[in-house]
Amino acid sequence: MPVIHIDNLDHPGVKPYWSLTEAQLRNRLEPEKGIFIAESPKVIRVALAAGYEPLSLLCEERHIDGDASDIIAACPGLTVYTAYRPMLTELTGYTLTRGVLAAMKRKKFEPLSQMLKDARRIVVIDSVVDTTNIGAIFRSAAALGIEAVVLTRSSCDPLNRRAVRVSMGTIFQVPWGWLDGPVNSLKEYGFKTVAMALTDKSVPLDHPALKAEGRLAIVMGTEGDGLASTTIEEADYTVRIPMAHGVDSLNVAAAAAVAFWELRK
């Protein structure tokens, strides 16, 4: 276990933690060559358990024999970069509450046909760009039995550092992938699509026909404008969550959690 103490920002080994943008980390052309940053021992442990490969660790020195000791023991030969808290704050741009970061390799994506083969309830995240909402939707999906997450290319990267942190690592537990065609192309895999939207034709979330469906793709739209009109028109169902006190809608992450619970199989 090589331990390298960092006292400035010039060391090439810590560039992924501070100088690379999310787009550079992601490597769109060759995703399997991209990396991401996982923060906190708990999240890093979940990623390791899901088979993600660590490239290096960055932490306060006290965590080497403390919170990060089991992670280091599980990864022989892992390079550990360490620094005092003020330097870590300068490196990362904010104060770390748990003081441990890991740079990890991304995985090659499984084809949607394989990922969705046995799924009965999935969520489609369409053009959601807020990282907090992405992380929260994944956490609800994992907790409430959603078997896969499919994202349109206009959505935020789930392996964004903040999204991973908000999800508490559940992004590593639920299969997910990108949808390159229109949302209604999921019908090719045997799913009925459920557009969560307020229209004159929307049925309530507890409509009995919904639970009777064998395979549902629950489509959640962007935070501001909601789903595109074509997505709504092409959906098998348009669904609303009944509201009280004149409230017209919920935040997309909250609405997703309600829909997941009600439509669980």
Side-chain angles (χ1 to χ4, degrees), residues 122-128 134 137 150-152 155 183 194-197 205 217-223 226-228 231 239 241 250-260 263:
I122 68 172
V123 61
V124 182
I125 301 177
D126 186 7
S127 302
V128 176
I134 291 285
I137 292 171
V150 178
L151 302 101
T152 62
S155 296
V183 172
V194 177
M196 300 297 297
L205 183 62
I218 304 164
V219 189
M220 309 301 304
T222 180
E223 297 88 342
L227 294 170
T231 301
V239 175
I241 299 173
L250 296 174
N251 163 276
V252 64
V258 174
F260 298 165
L263 298 179

Side-chain angles (χ1 to χ4, degrees), residues 5-115:
H5 186 84
I6 301 300
D7 56 10
N8 63 71
L9 301 180
D10 296 329
H11 195 288
V14 296
K15 282 187 176 181
Y17 296 100
W18 74 277
S19 70
L20 299 183
T21 66
E22 289 290 343
Q24 289 170 324
L25 289 169
R26 182 173 171 178
N27 194 348
R28 284 179 179 268
L29 294 178
E30 297 179 275
E32 65 274 12
K33 292 185 179 180
I35 64 176
F36 66 93
I37 306 299
E39 180 185 336
S40 89
K42 178 177 180 179
V43 171
I44 294 167
R45 291 184 193 111
V46 176
L48 290 173
Y52 285 87
E53 180 184 346
L55 297 171
S56 66
L57 206 67
L58 174 66
C59 65
E60 293 181 60
E61 190 169 3
R62 63 191 178 94
H63 291 311
I64 294 176
D65 296 316
D67 285 352
S69 60
D70 62 317
I71 296 170
I72 294 169
C75 306
L78 181 67
T79 299
V80 178
Y81 298 100
T82 183
Y84 297 116
R85 182 174 284 250
M87 177 55 66
L88 286 176
T89 300
E90 188 176 356
L91 276 169
T92 61
Y94 55 90
T95 300
L96 297 177
T97 54
R98 297 302 302 272
V100 184
L101 297 172
M104 310 189 84
K105 283 186 179 181
R106 291 173 179 257
K107 289 183 177 181
K108 188 174 181 179
F109 286 111
E110 184 180 31
L112 282 187
S113 57
Q114 182 64 28
M115 187 181 81

Side-chain angles (χ1 to χ4, degrees), residues 187 192-207 209-210 216-219 227-242 263:
K187 295 178 184 181
K192 293 291 183 69
T193 54
V194 177
M196 300 297 297
L198 297 172
T199 73
D200 293 338
K201 297 180 180 179
S202 297
V203 300
L205 183 62
D206 58 356
H207 194 287
L210 295 169
L216 288 180
I218 304 164
V219 189
L227 294 170
S229 57
T230 52
T231 301
I232 295 171
E233 291 165 4
E234 293 171 352
D236 294 294
Y237 297 95
T238 306
V239 175
R240 69 180 187 277
I241 299 173
L263 298 179

